[in-house]
Amino acid sequence: MLKNPKVTPRALTTKEKADRANDIYDSFANYLCFCPGCNYVDKTNMYLMRAEMRVQKLRDEGVKCPNCGRCGWILGYPLGSTTGFVKF
């Protein structure tokens, strides 16, 4: 797991989560998996389903953040992006 220092993550908003629950999402956006405790970015540039699977796998396996030791991985976007489309 490598941290990309050019990426500052943000959690999905309440509206983005509600849209996702209703199968409304941008299928071409770039999602990321990160630790909300310290903003350590586990992986970036994933399509939604792959990112959701990554988050779930890390949680199921109890993988702890190498930076803070927390196991609370979440799905997100790069900070400042409403679509996930950014160039790193």
Side-chain angles (χ1 to χ4, degrees):
M1 291 187 276
L2 300 174
K3 179 174 175 153
N4 185 335
K6 295 181 181 180
V7 179
T8 301
R10 73 163 178 85
L12 297 182
T13 65
T14 302
K15 181 180 182 335
E16 289 165 343
K17 289 177 186 176
D19 285 348
R20 176 64 188 118
N22 291 314
D23 285 330
I24 300 168
Y25 59 93
D26 187 339
S27 62
F28 293 105
N30 293 312
Y31 292 85
L32 50 87
C33 171
F34 75 100
C35 172
C38 67
N39 286 342
Y40 179 88
V41 177
D42 167 66
K43 194 165 183 167
T44 62
N45 296 332
M46 295 181 287
Y47 290 119
L48 178 60
M49 277 47 157
R50 178 67 188 115
E52 288 175 331
M53 288 180 355
R54 178 72 182 164
V55 167
Q56 193 60 52
K57 178 182 179 195
L58 293 174
R59 287 180 178 177
D60 289 348
E61 293 178 1
V63 175
K64 294 181 180 178
C65 173
N67 194 47
C68 72
R70 182 177 171 179
C71 183
W73 303 101
I74 63 172
L75 184 68
Y77 275 144
L79 185 65
S81 172
T82 57
T83 64
F85 291 104
V86 295
K87 185 174 181 178
F88 303 123

